[in-house]
Structures are given as structure tokens and as C-alpha cells.
Amino acid sequence: MHPIQPYIHIGKVVATFGTSGQVLVQHALGKKTTLKGIKALFIEQQKNSYLPYFIEQVKAKNEQEIWVQLEGIPTKEAAQRFLNKNVWLPEAEALALMSAKAPIALLGYTVVEDKKVLGVIEEVIEQPHQVLVQISIEGKEVLVPLHEETLLKIDRKKKEVWVQLPEGLLAIYL
């Protein structure tokens, strides 16, 4: 089932909390949030299956985590099935919540090297010491690392990410 509207992967359920079915969601929105104005989270029970779970209560834990009480999930046991499941929001809602400086905000930006367009960022993967962005070149998925040695600049007005990649990196994929 492909979503009718575009969704953005904002994080995943990393723990349950208490006895009333609360879950801890680790997110990549780049700032402390209580999901103000958001009625539901979409949790991926199976690949490409975005089921809405309505929010009863949200409490910000820190800049990367929120406690969420979902409607119809009254116990810790019921919440267990969400552990390690991906959490998505409709694109417009996710964009309204995220910090402009969050790596996830680079979705849809164009990756450019030496004035040559490489591709559009389709996915952002955050790792401890770098961010990887997924683009497609000639129909193949390519992971481009963004860190101090490869990232030249981010032009937010033009929605471009300028990089200088290590020699041979693209040859691995193509």
C-alpha cells in the first residue's frame, strides 16, 4: 500500500513507559516538541503500511524524545507491539514541526558536486558521527555521507547541498 500523500519518517518507538501504555518516540525533528496541532502518528506495523494512531497526550522529554499516549493503547503490554517500529507524519505536518537545521529538513534538496547535479535527497539517515543522504543515480540507490570533510555548503534558498565526495565513492554504486 503506497501512501496517497507523502509521509516523512520522523523517528521510531524506542521504549514503553509506565503501566498505561505510553511509548517513548525518538524523533529527528531537531527541537523539543509536543506535536502541537498533530492529531495522529502513523506507525509502520509492516513495510509501507502507515496506520494512524490518534494521540491522547504528548510530553516532551528532551530535544530528541517525546512520551506519547495513543488512543486505544491502555496497557504496557498493548504498547509493546510498537517497539522499534518506524513513526511517520504527513509531509506538511512534519515540515511544520521540524527545525530548519535538522538533517531531516534536507529531504527534497538537490545534491550538487562540482556544479553537477547528482540527485534529490530521498531519505536522511542519521548516524552518531555523520548523516547519510540517499539519492538515486541512474536508477540506483546511492548513499552520500555528509560530514565536515564532504559537506561544502547548504543553500537553503535554492534547496541545494554542495558536496566534495572522496574519489571513487560513486563508482562503488554505479
Side-chain angles (χ1 to χ4, degrees):
M1 173 183 128
H2 284 286
I4 294 165
Q5 60 179 323
Y7 288 81
I8 291 181
H9 174 234
I10 62 154
K12 72 178 180 177
V13 176
V14 293
T16 60
F17 178 70
T19 56
S20 65
Q22 281 193 343
V23 292
L24 181 64
V25 174
Q26 193 172 54
H27 65 81
L29 296 169
K31 63 182 178 183
K32 208 168 188 174
T33 182
T34 57
L35 303 179
K36 189 173 166 67
I38 305 299
K39 292 181 173 37
L41 292 177
F42 290 78
I43 299 177
E44 192 176 22
Q45 290 283 331
Q46 284 127 12
K47 190 95 174 117
N48 295 323
S49 169
Y50 304 88
L51 296 176
Y53 289 89
F54 293 94
I55 297 169
E56 286 185 352
Q57 185 181 15
V58 176
K59 187 176 173 193
K61 182 179 178 200
N62 55 41
E63 287 193 357
Q64 293 90 32
E65 297 173 315
I66 49 176
W67 296 112
V68 182
Q69 181 71 56
L70 298 169
E71 188 178 283
I73 312 297
T75 65
K76 182 176 184 167
E77 292 71 29
Q80 293 283 359
R81 69 181 176 170
F82 297 114
L83 278 177
N84 298 313
K85 300 292 184 195
N86 289 327
V87 177
W88 301 72
L89 281 176
E91 185 175 39
E93 291 180 1
L95 292 172
L97 285 175
M98 73 179 60
S99 162
K101 299 221 182 308
I104 194 174
L106 298 175
L107 283 169
Y109 278 48
T110 302
V111 177
V112 179
E113 182 179 40
D114 292 330
K115 298 183 183 171
K116 180 181 176 237
V117 171
L118 297 180
V120 174
I121 296 174
E122 300 166 354
E123 186 177 353
V124 177
I125 304 158
E126 290 189 67
Q127 296 185 320
H129 300 293
Q130 71 180 357
V131 170
L132 294 172
V133 295
Q134 180 188 307
I135 60 175
S136 291
I137 299 177
E138 297 172 12
K140 294 183 174 75
E141 288 182 1
V142 175
L143 294 176
V144 175
L146 298 182
H147 51 71
E148 60 188 33
E149 293 162 23
T150 60
L151 181 62
L152 300 178
K153 74 174 181 176
I154 297 173
D155 186 332
R156 296 193 191 281
K157 282 193 175 105
K158 292 183 179 175
K159 295 186 91 172
E160 293 177 337
V161 176
W162 288 71
V163 296
Q164 182 64 55
L165 300 177
E167 201 167 314
L169 178 76
L170 295 180
I172 295 168
Y173 294 98
L174 305 175

